């Protein structure tokens, strides 16, 4: 009985943890409108958005600014 309760508790705690965002830096580089949206959210409510996603958006913006854009690679 105790093992079952422990397993249920572990499952509940795992479900409560924040999920990893699927928005990678490469995805954001290809979607500049999403970068702008995330940056706006980071300014308004950084704790809710999460530090990791804000950093990914900043890295994607830097890559686009310094020339690592998908549209440039097709030339």
């Amino acid at each position: 009985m105790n093992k079952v309760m422990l397993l249920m508790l572990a499952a509940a705690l795992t479900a409560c943890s924040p999920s990893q965002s699927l928005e990678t830096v490469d995805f954001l580089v290809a979607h500049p409108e999403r970068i702008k949206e995330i940056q706006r959210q980071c300014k308004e409510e950084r704790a809710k958005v999460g530090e990791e996603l804000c950093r990914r958006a900043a890295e994607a913006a830097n890559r686009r600014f310094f020339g690592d854009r998908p549209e440039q690679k097709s030339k």
Side-chain angles (χ1 to χ4, degrees):
M1 184 77 164
N2 287 338
K3 291 181 183 178
V4 173
M5 295 298 276
L6 184 60
L7 183 59
M8 289 175 56
L9 178 62
L13 290 175
T14 303
C16 293
S17 67
S19 62
Q20 185 70 5
S21 176
L22 298 177
E23 295 174 317
T24 63
V25 174
D26 291 330
F27 173 84
L28 293 172
V29 167
H31 298 90
E33 68 284 346
R34 184 66 183 135
I35 296 172
K36 290 178 184 177
E37 177 63 22
I38 293 172
Q39 288 176 329
R40 183 190 60 77
Q41 290 174 351
C42 290
K43 283 182 182 179
E44 294 174 0
E45 49 192 353
R46 191 175 194 93
K48 185 177 177 185
V49 176
E51 188 67 29
E52 181 62 30
L53 186 56
C54 292
R55 287 182 181 172
R56 287 180 194 168
E59 176 64 25
N62 284 340
R63 286 188 189 179
R64 287 190 59 80
F65 181 79
F66 290 111
D68 187 17
R69 298 180 190 166
E71 59 267 15
Q72 289 178 332
K73 293 179 181 178
S74 63
K75 293 181 181 179

